[in-house]
Amino acid sequence: MAKYLAKRIFYIILTLFIVTTATFFLMKFMPGTPLTNQAKLTPGQIHQIYKQYGLDKPLWQQYLVYLGGVVHGNFGTSFQFSNQPVSYLIGSRMGPSLTIGGEAMVVGVLAGLVVGAIGAIKANTWVDTTATIISILGVSIPSFVLAVLLQYYLGLKLRWFPIADWGGFMYTVLPTLALAASPLAETARFMRTQMVDVLSSDYIELAKAKGMGKVGIIYHHALRNSLIPVVTIVGPLAVGIMTGSMVVENIFSIPGIGEQFVKSVLTNDYPTIMGLTIVYCAMLCVVLLITDIVYGIIDPRIRINK
Amino acid sequence: MENANDILEVRNLKINFKTYAGTVKAIRDISFDLRKGETLAIVGESGSGKSVTTRSIMGLNAENAVIDGGTIMYKDQDLLKKTRKQMDQIRGRDIAEIFQDPMTSLDPTMKIGKQIAEPLIIHKGMKREKAYAQALEMMKLVGIDNAKERINDYPHQFSGGMRQRIVIAIALVNYPEILIADEPTTALDVTIQAQILDLMKELQAKTNTSIIFITHDLGVVAGMADRVAVMYAGKIVEYGTVDEIFYNPKHPYTWGLLNSMPTMDTSGTELPSIPGTPPDLLDPPKGDAFAARNQYALEIDTKQQPPFFKVSDTHYAATWLLDPRAPKVTPPDPIIERQKHYAQLTHEAIDKSRGKHIEEQEEQL
Ligand SMILES: Nc1ncnc2c1ncn2[C@@H]1O[C@H](COP(=O)(O)OP(=O)(O)O)[C@@H](O)[C@H]1O
Ligand SMILES: [Mg+2]
């Protein structure tokens, strides 16, 4: 186990190194400059600014400096956002993003499991059809459309929830719902397929031959076997939530990293873009590591012995 | 029950399947008995309806199955009339089943001890502790080494042969009266096959369970069964004792099956398989379903289904060749060899019983 973990962590570090390198050079070769009023500045002023940010040094030196910083959790200083350190910016905005992202993941996956299981148990009935329609809608409606609809109906019309902004649980409900739709749909679809498969397997036939009732079969044999593989889609779902949050946070004016990412892209705030890219990548790596470990724990066939 | 020695009586069973293409007539009027303590083999090519027959007994047919008629009497109750819940009481307690593929028959995420204990918990309401103790006994009985240490292992930690032993333990843990084995060794290596068959025989001797043994391979029947029913295209075409079927077969389909069976002296040489394919059960032929593949077919075979002709009290075959008006045909050479062997067997048997008779008389004197 320890050996396995060490190996996985090594690969995560390698991944982060490659992502850091790639984003660094991609940023350098992107057109556009971070200086909003470049035309009005004298060459001297421009030089002054470049010097302040270390942009006058040769590329390889800039790269090494940046890499050294990243290792120590220092992503440089933001070009915008009043020259704050990028790490501070990200740190102070992490909370809201993790809150709605986590809520969306939990709500989406749990509801998806229920919808998918019911669809499989009642396969090819109207219940199943309804479940399938829910999945199709969830996958095909973009989260920003859903966000706007929720904002309009539940926020503006019914006034059940605040329309936007941040400050307590009630503020998280609408963005969570907007973000949860897609993981809900994906999980439901995946769970239904898994469970239909399991229900037609030989060991379920054997359970019937034992004289086990319908409920017993689902509870003792079908659920666990269908649930285990669901762990494997949590990583991809996390990616969906991360990208979804960039738009949803903007719509609901949530001070999270998704909103910050969009702003930095619009203003060519390279240090912030790079920092956030690395942070997103690290979060994904951690999610994948956790899901792999969990999968190994709950599936006896792939339990890690070494 | 019609006969006090029977544990199960199937009469005029007809099962259809509704499909998009039409109605598949999978079981077309079959009748057979299972005697207490015996092993009845049902043999036939794949698709002949063996599994549908067993699933009808278990009440586990697919949802598109339609019972078109017949009865399955078990202890004076018609199993076909039972509800799902009532069948749940019978399955795994009175009638149990072993399936073909031990690699997929066990729940991959449940410890085998629990899987063996489940039928006890379901039917006898046993507490965990007691059920596990009995499961352990059962594991020893079916020959799992270090049973105590292995009770908490998962299926993937066992070989195919061991897994089939576990499946057998599950089936027998409640000492059922009937055990249905649907091709229980087809998925196993030849050497493992023999071990599993031996185990089944050994356990049958201990438990006096009646076995319905399904196979497409006549080779495994000889040492296993007391009686044999040969199935073709949803019908039983011949049945009799093992000796009668092996050494005095009457139906050309049984001849074909026997000829395509590997034996000691055919090993290495190519076996003649029965030419052609079984008929389409969406639209079964009017006459004898085997006529199209039968080199001995008579004209009447294409027009009318043959009734069962009696060969002996225990041996019946549904072929027009047995009609007194039919021309005499010479069966293939290997079959003639078998019949010669049979004549010898019966003489020996008669001599033996005579000898015994005389001994008994002597004792009385
Ligand atoms: N659920 C089903 N729907 C339609 N046809 C079926 C179904 N189950 C079995 N059959 C058909 O019934 C026939 C007998 O099948 P089966 O009993 O499985 O044969 P086998 O003798 O190989 O066990 C086959 O022609 C098969 O295609
Ligand atoms: Mg079969």
Side-chain angles (χ1 to χ4, degrees), chain B residues 144-162:
Chain B
I144 292 167
D145 297 330
N146 301 327
K148 202 165 181 167
E149 288 91 75
R150 305 217 66 184
I151 196 163
N152 284 325
D153 280 356
Y154 288 92
H156 72 275
Q157 292 164 291
F158 294 87
S159 67
M162 282 296 148

Side-chain angles (χ1 to χ4, degrees), chain B residues 17 19 24 26 45-53 55 62 64 281:
Chain B
F17 289 100
T19 67
V24 178
E45 285 167 297
S46 132
S48 51
K50 307 180 298 289
S51 294
V52 174
T53 305
R55 277 195 226 113
N64 60 338
L281 293 177

Side-chain angles (χ1 to χ4, degrees), chain A residues 137-211:
Chain A
L137 286 180
V139 172
S140 48
I141 298 179
S143 54
F144 59 88
V145 174
L146 190 63
V148 172
L149 289 176
L150 287 171
Q151 208 172 31
Y152 182 73
Y153 286 103
L154 301 189
L156 202 63
K157 283 253 159 135
L158 294 170
R159 296 186 174 279
W160 287 354
F161 303 101
I163 298 169
D165 215 348
W166 191 245
F169 175 73
M170 288 307 268
Y171 289 86
T172 70
V173 174
L174 293 186
T176 294
L177 288 181
L179 275 180
S182 142
L184 186 158
E186 300 273 358
T187 310
R189 205 170 50 169
F190 190 83
M191 179 67 178
R192 182 190 179 277
T193 317
Q194 287 299 322
M195 197 143 163
V196 165
D197 240 36
V198 165
L199 284 174
S200 68
S201 66
D202 288 352
Y203 57 85
I204 296 295
E205 183 90 352
L206 185 72
K208 288 180 192 164
K210 285 177 181 175

Side-chain angles (χ1 to χ4, degrees), chain B residues 91-131:
Chain B
R91 282 193 285 261
R93 191 187 67 186
D94 302 319
I95 308 178
E97 184 164 4
I98 308 171
F99 296 97
Q100 177 168 344
D101 191 352
M103 303 313 274
T104 55
S105 310
L106 293 167
D107 184 336
T109 62
M110 189 184 274
K111 294 171 179 170
I112 59 142
K114 182 156 190 212
Q115 301 197 45
I116 300 172
E118 262 183 353
L120 296 166
I121 296 167
I122 297 168
H123 293 290
K124 305 235 164 99
M126 265 186 210
K127 289 273 174 304
R128 197 190 127 98
E129 236 120 273
K130 198 167 164 216

